[in-house]
Amino acid sequence: LVMYCISNNYTGEYMTNLSSHAHAAKLIRQEIKAKFPKLKARVSSQCYSGGNSVDVNIQDQPPHIKEALDSIVSKYQYGFFDGMDDCYKYTNRNDSIPQVKYAFVRNELSPTLRSVISQFLKDTFIAGDSIFERLDTYVWREFCDKNGDFWKAV
């Protein structure tokens, strides 16, 4: 059963069978598979009262992979929420593809990689350094930093 949702003006070939958010998720999945055939990515879509969205979830990927996925996914989002004006701005509208209100790429850090990065940081910094008081924060920063020492060492 496919749920239908208020959609943008996209009138592609599959609109009779898929909602715009489901179709956007399908196309995103195809693009990711074509560009990164071995990457495990979970792509899902949802519709809710404030709009619709597509979520792309990956795990333990270097920052350059997330950036590449962000560039693929961004064209499927037709704008952004401007918190300063408290309104949604339609800045990326493209009626030739299905689009959603929000598109997210999440790169999750597994417990295994978290412990590897923790050990890397412990080996890199002098014992007693204040880094150990905020180790979780530094682990996350190192995971997200494409120029970080961890990704250079791997």
Side-chain angles (χ1 to χ4, degrees):
L1 178 67
V2 175
M3 290 182 57
Y4 287 87
C5 182
I6 297 171
S7 65
N8 56 11
N9 294 331
Y10 175 73
T11 55
E13 61 182 291
Y14 296 107
M15 279 306 289
T16 57
N17 298 325
L18 291 177
S19 61
S20 61
H21 61 283
H23 192 196
K26 179 180 178 178
L27 294 178
I28 290 169
R29 196 176 295 111
Q30 289 172 353
E31 278 195 59
I32 292 171
K33 200 53 123 171
K35 188 163 185 175
F36 303 102
K38 295 183 180 186
L39 179 67
K40 287 181 81 173
R42 194 175 77 244
V43 181
S44 60
S45 67
Q46 55 185 330
C47 180
Y48 38 84
S49 63
N52 52 20
S53 65
V54 171
D55 296 294
V56 178
N57 292 290
I58 55 175
Q59 188 174 48
D60 295 345
Q61 297 301 314
H64 72 276
I65 298 291
K66 183 185 181 302
E67 288 174 1
L69 293 180
D70 282 334
S71 70
I72 290 170
V73 170
S74 65
K75 68 183 168 196
Y76 292 95
Q77 181 172 321
Y78 48 71
F80 68 97
F81 181 77
D82 183 350
M84 197 67 157
D85 292 335
D86 196 27
C87 70
Y88 192 87
K89 305 233 174 159
Y90 296 87
T91 57
N92 192 35
R93 188 85 179 205
N94 182 347
D95 290 338
S96 67
I97 58 172
Q99 290 183 296
V100 294
K101 198 167 189 177
Y102 300 103
F104 305 103
V105 177
R106 292 186 180 90
N107 190 9
E108 298 170 6
L109 180 59
S110 71
T112 304
L113 189 58
R114 179 180 297 277
S115 65
V116 169
I117 294 174
S118 291
Q119 191 58 53
F120 172 80
L121 290 171
K122 288 176 184 175
D123 293 344
T124 303
F125 292 93
I126 300 169
D129 195 321
S130 64
I131 187 175
F132 297 110
E133 295 170 10
R134 299 179 311 277
L135 187 59
D136 250 10
T137 301
Y138 283 100
V139 167
W140 183 251
R141 283 185 192 162
E142 197 65 30
F143 175 64
C144 294
D145 183 5
K146 69 179 175 185
N147 297 316
D149 294 329
F150 175 75
W151 291 113
K152 290 177 185 174
V154 173

